[in-house]
mmCIF file of all heavy atoms in Angstrom:
data_model
loop_
_atom_site.group_PDB
_atom_site.id
_atom_site.type_symbol
_atom_site.label_atom_id
_atom_site.label_comp_id
_atom_site.label_asym_id
_atom_site.label_seq_id
_atom_site.Cartn_x
_atom_site.Cartn_y
_atom_site.Cartn_z
ATOM 1 N N GLU A 20 -1.564 -65.989 -11.088
ATOM 2 C CA GLU A 20 -1.352 -64.600 -11.453
ATOM 3 C C GLU A 20 -0.007 -64.465 -12.160
ATOM 4 O O GLU A 20 1.015 -64.960 -11.668
ATOM 5 C CB GLU A 20 -1.389 -63.704 -10.229
ATOM 6 C CG GLU A 20 -2.742 -63.603 -9.559
ATOM 7 C CD GLU A 20 -2.754 -62.652 -8.383
ATOM 8 O OE1 GLU A 20 -1.652 -62.267 -7.905
ATOM 9 O OE2 GLU A 20 -3.866 -62.283 -7.931
ATOM 10 N N ILE A 21 -0.042 -63.798 -13.301
ATOM 11 C CA ILE A 21 1.167 -63.478 -14.036
ATOM 12 C C ILE A 21 1.477 -62.012 -13.814
ATOM 13 O O ILE A 21 0.736 -61.137 -14.270
ATOM 14 C CB ILE A 21 1.009 -63.767 -15.551
ATOM 15 C CG1 ILE A 21 0.412 -65.149 -15.799
ATOM 16 C CG2 ILE A 21 2.335 -63.583 -16.251
ATOM 17 C CD1 ILE A 21 1.284 -66.291 -15.335
ATOM 18 N N TRP A 22 2.552 -61.726 -13.064
ATOM 19 C CA TRP A 22 2.910 -60.342 -12.772
ATOM 20 C C TRP A 22 3.808 -59.826 -13.898
ATOM 21 O O TRP A 22 4.817 -60.447 -14.242
ATOM 22 C CB TRP A 22 3.645 -60.254 -11.429
ATOM 23 C CG TRP A 22 2.716 -60.448 -10.253
ATOM 24 C CD1 TRP A 22 1.916 -61.519 -10.012
ATOM 25 C CD2 TRP A 22 2.506 -59.554 -9.177
ATOM 26 N NE1 TRP A 22 1.208 -61.356 -8.847
ATOM 27 C CE2 TRP A 22 1.542 -60.147 -8.320
ATOM 28 C CE3 TRP A 22 3.011 -58.296 -8.854
ATOM 29 C CZ2 TRP A 22 1.097 -59.531 -7.155
ATOM 30 C CZ3 TRP A 22 2.577 -57.673 -7.687
ATOM 31 C CH2 TRP A 22 1.623 -58.281 -6.864
ATOM 32 N N LEU A 23 3.415 -58.686 -14.465
ATOM 33 C CA LEU A 23 4.085 -58.134 -15.634
ATOM 34 C C LEU A 23 4.826 -56.836 -15.281
ATOM 35 O O LEU A 23 4.384 -56.072 -14.406
ATOM 36 C CB LEU A 23 3.086 -57.863 -16.748
ATOM 37 C CG LEU A 23 2.207 -59.059 -17.179
ATOM 38 C CD1 LEU A 23 1.237 -58.626 -18.277
ATOM 39 C CD2 LEU A 23 3.061 -60.217 -17.663
ATOM 40 N N HIS A 24 5.916 -56.578 -15.989
ATOM 41 C CA HIS A 24 6.644 -55.323 -15.820
ATOM 42 C C HIS A 24 7.370 -55.011 -17.120
ATOM 43 O O HIS A 24 7.290 -55.730 -18.109
ATOM 44 C CB HIS A 24 7.628 -55.425 -14.638
ATOM 45 C CG HIS A 24 8.752 -56.406 -14.852
ATOM 46 N ND1 HIS A 24 9.910 -56.364 -14.145
ATOM 47 C CD2 HIS A 24 8.898 -57.446 -15.721
ATOM 48 C CE1 HIS A 24 10.718 -57.336 -14.542
ATOM 49 N NE2 HIS A 24 10.113 -57.998 -15.500
ATOM 50 N N ASN A 25 8.059 -53.869 -17.140
ATOM 51 C CA ASN A 25 8.832 -53.410 -18.301
ATOM 52 C C ASN A 25 7.971 -53.236 -19.564
ATOM 53 O O ASN A 25 8.474 -53.349 -20.697
ATOM 54 C CB ASN A 25 9.966 -54.394 -18.620
ATOM 55 C CG ASN A 25 10.981 -54.495 -17.501
ATOM 56 O OD1 ASN A 25 11.238 -53.505 -16.807
ATOM 57 N ND2 ASN A 25 11.542 -55.676 -17.316
ATOM 58 N N LEU A 26 6.715 -52.938 -19.381
ATOM 59 C CA LEU A 26 5.820 -52.758 -20.524
ATOM 60 C C LEU A 26 6.008 -51.361 -21.125
ATOM 61 O O LEU A 26 6.156 -50.379 -20.375
ATOM 62 C CB LEU A 26 4.361 -52.957 -20.100
ATOM 63 C CG LEU A 26 4.009 -54.362 -19.614
ATOM 64 C CD1 LEU A 26 2.636 -54.350 -18.940
ATOM 65 C CD2 LEU A 26 4.036 -55.367 -20.745
ATOM 66 N N PRO A 27 5.964 -51.230 -22.435
ATOM 67 C CA PRO A 27 6.146 -49.909 -23.066
ATOM 68 C C PRO A 27 4.858 -49.072 -22.977
ATOM 69 O O PRO A 27 3.754 -49.614 -22.908
ATOM 70 C CB PRO A 27 6.455 -50.252 -24.519
ATOM 71 C CG PRO A 27 5.735 -51.551 -24.742
ATOM 72 C CD PRO A 27 5.807 -52.299 -23.449
ATOM 73 N N ASN A 28 5.004 -47.776 -22.984
ATOM 74 C CA ASN A 28 3.854 -46.873 -23.017
ATOM 75 C C ASN A 28 3.560 -46.434 -24.457
ATOM 76 O O ASN A 28 3.435 -45.249 -24.770
ATOM 77 C CB ASN A 28 4.095 -45.657 -22.115
ATOM 78 C CG ASN A 28 3.698 -45.931 -20.679
ATOM 79 O OD1 ASN A 28 2.684 -46.573 -20.414
ATOM 80 N ND2 ASN A 28 4.513 -45.488 -19.740
ATOM 81 N N THR A 29 3.462 -47.427 -25.314
ATOM 82 C CA THR A 29 3.094 -47.201 -26.724
ATOM 83 C C THR A 29 2.078 -48.277 -27.095
ATOM 84 O O THR A 29 1.751 -49.148 -26.299
ATOM 85 C CB THR A 29 4.308 -47.298 -27.647
ATOM 86 O OG1 THR A 29 4.784 -48.663 -27.631
ATOM 87 C CG2 THR A 29 5.425 -46.361 -27.206
ATOM 88 N N SER A 30 1.610 -48.214 -28.331
ATOM 89 C CA SER A 30 0.639 -49.215 -28.779
ATOM 90 C C SER A 30 1.219 -50.629 -28.771
ATOM 91 O O SER A 30 0.474 -51.609 -28.779
ATOM 92 C CB SER A 30 0.131 -48.873 -30.186
ATOM 93 O OG SER A 30 1.196 -48.862 -31.109
ATOM 94 N N PHE A 31 2.558 -50.753 -28.735
ATOM 95 C CA PHE A 31 3.196 -52.078 -28.665
ATOM 96 C C PHE A 31 2.786 -52.812 -27.390
ATOM 97 O O PHE A 31 2.814 -54.052 -27.331
ATOM 98 C CB PHE A 31 4.707 -51.926 -28.749
ATOM 99 C CG PHE A 31 5.459 -53.229 -28.867
ATOM 100 C CD1 PHE A 31 5.114 -54.149 -29.846
ATOM 101 C CD2 PHE A 31 6.481 -53.528 -27.991
ATOM 102 C CE1 PHE A 31 5.801 -55.360 -29.955
ATOM 103 C CE2 PHE A 31 7.159 -54.736 -28.099
ATOM 104 C CZ PHE A 31 6.829 -55.649 -29.076
#
Side-chain angles (χ1 to χ4, degrees):
E20 292 183 346
I21 312 296
W22 287 57
L23 305 179
H24 66 160
N25 297 327
L26 296 168
N28 274 320
T29 66
S30 61
F31 188 53

